[in-house]
Amino acid sequence: DQQVKQNSPSLSVQEGRISILNCDYTNSMFDYFLWYKKYPAEGPTFLISISSIKDKNEDGRFTVFLNKSAKHLSLHIVPSQPGDSAVYFCAVLYNNNDMRFGAGTRLTVKP
Amino acid sequence: NAGVTQTPKFQVLKTGQSMTLQCAQDMNHNSMYWYRQDPGMGLRLIYYSASEGTTDKGEVPNGYNVSRLNKREFSLRLESAAPSQTSVYFCASSEGDEQFFGPGTRLTVL
């Protein structure tokens, strides 16, 4: 049973516009959420995280929003740049060391 | 700092063969992890080691064994490879909530 779902396998946006990547989770007990970015032939790299005590966390062009009642989080990238083209994974930290990932969304930012 | 390194980068095995995937980190992290990534799926945790001398099963441990050789190194062993184990394998390490990943090993089992 997938506990973390990213329902959009791909997203294409124009350079300079906003990219919004979405993620849903099933367990209301999850309390720490992360986004990872992955380029081809490389391992994922950490992007941004949010604890369940917050509803928003911002780091430069990247903002993560958490809606606990809807069990939904989203990653906003503004403005989007061609170098942001990658696969983005949503993840939840489950039992301290156990991290569960969504299937990923491939973002393409067109110049 | 090299971060997390994995060897080999690519490997092709025949069904029933065995092999060990190696992972090392130079960040002095206590926790280390092995994941597999299959097409259309996220990374799934195979095993993890919260500290030197301890290992625990993750979401998909069947068919694998691990060894935490020392604080730096965490190996993953396939005793009798099966085509279902064709995947990209990632090792990671952490000291807090953020995990640092290696570049991956692409394994094909024929």
Side-chain angles (χ1 to χ4, degrees):
Chain A
D1 182 31
Q2 243 186 324
Q3 296 172 300
V4 184
K5 296 179 183 177
Q6 294 177 257
N7 292 319
S8 298
S10 63
L11 174 68
S12 182
V13 300
Q14 208 66 36
E15 181 178 6
R17 306 294 288 267
I18 184 171
S19 296
I20 300 176
L21 296 97
N22 294 302
C23 178
D24 297 295
Y25 59 95
T26 56
N27 190 336
S28 58
M29 298 300 290
F30 291 150
D31 60 6
Y32 198 77
F33 307 87
L34 307 93
W35 284 94
Y36 280 80
K37 175 178 177 179
K38 185 183 179 304
Y39 292 117
E42 295 183 11
T45 55
F46 170 75
L47 192 56
I48 193 168
S49 62
I50 188 166
S51 159
S52 61
I53 62 172
K54 294 185 170 184
D55 54 19
K56 175 181 171 182
N57 189 27
E58 194 171 348
D59 183 2
R61 296 186 297 115
F62 303 90
T63 303
V64 56
F65 295 92
L66 177 62
N67 182 334
K68 290 185 285 292
S69 60
K71 296 200 280 289
H72 177 85
L73 66 156
S74 60
L75 175 69
H76 293 210
I77 307 173
V78 181
S80 301
Q81 299 173 353
D84 295 330
S85 296
V87 177
Y88 290 79
F89 291 99
C90 168
V92 299
L93 199 56
Y94 176 81
N95 286 342
N96 287 330
N97 283 287
D98 191 340
M99 194 175 293
R100 302 294 168 99
F101 286 81
T105 296
R106 182 178 301 279
L107 173 66
T108 303
V109 180
K110 297 180 178 177
Chain B
N1 283 356
V4 179
T5 56
Q6 293 183 236
T7 55
K9 285 189 166 36
F10 303 94
Q11 183 71 48
V12 178
L13 293 177
K14 294 182 180 177
T15 296
Q17 286 186 314
S18 62
M19 81 158 295
T20 300
L21 282 65
Q22 307 286 354
C23 173
Q25 52 94 7
D26 62 2
M27 295 174 282
N28 203 35
H29 288 166
N30 278 310
S31 299
M32 297 186 74
Y33 313 81
W34 276 105
Y35 292 89
R36 60 178 288 173
Q37 186 192 9
D38 300 300
M41 300 185 75
L43 284 77
R44 291 183 293 167
L45 184 65
I46 304 171
Y47 270 93
Y48 67 94
S49 170
S51 62
E52 188 178 348
T54 68
T55 61
D56 285 285
K57 294 179 180 179
E59 191 181 355
V60 288
N62 291 346
Y64 304 95
N65 285 302
V66 290
S67 295
R68 184 73 184 268
L69 305 168
N70 47 56
K71 192 171 186 179
R72 286 189 67 247
E73 298 170 291
F74 189 38
S75 62
L76 178 72
R77 182 157 178 85
L78 287 72
E79 288 291 353
S80 178
S84 61
Q85 294 178 304
T86 293
S87 189
V88 181
Y89 290 85
F90 290 99
C91 177
S93 70
S94 73
E95 195 55 48
D97 297 322
E98 177 187 345
Q99 294 185 13
F100 295 82
F101 286 83
T105 294
R106 185 173 293 274
L107 176 67
T108 302
V109 183
L110 303 175

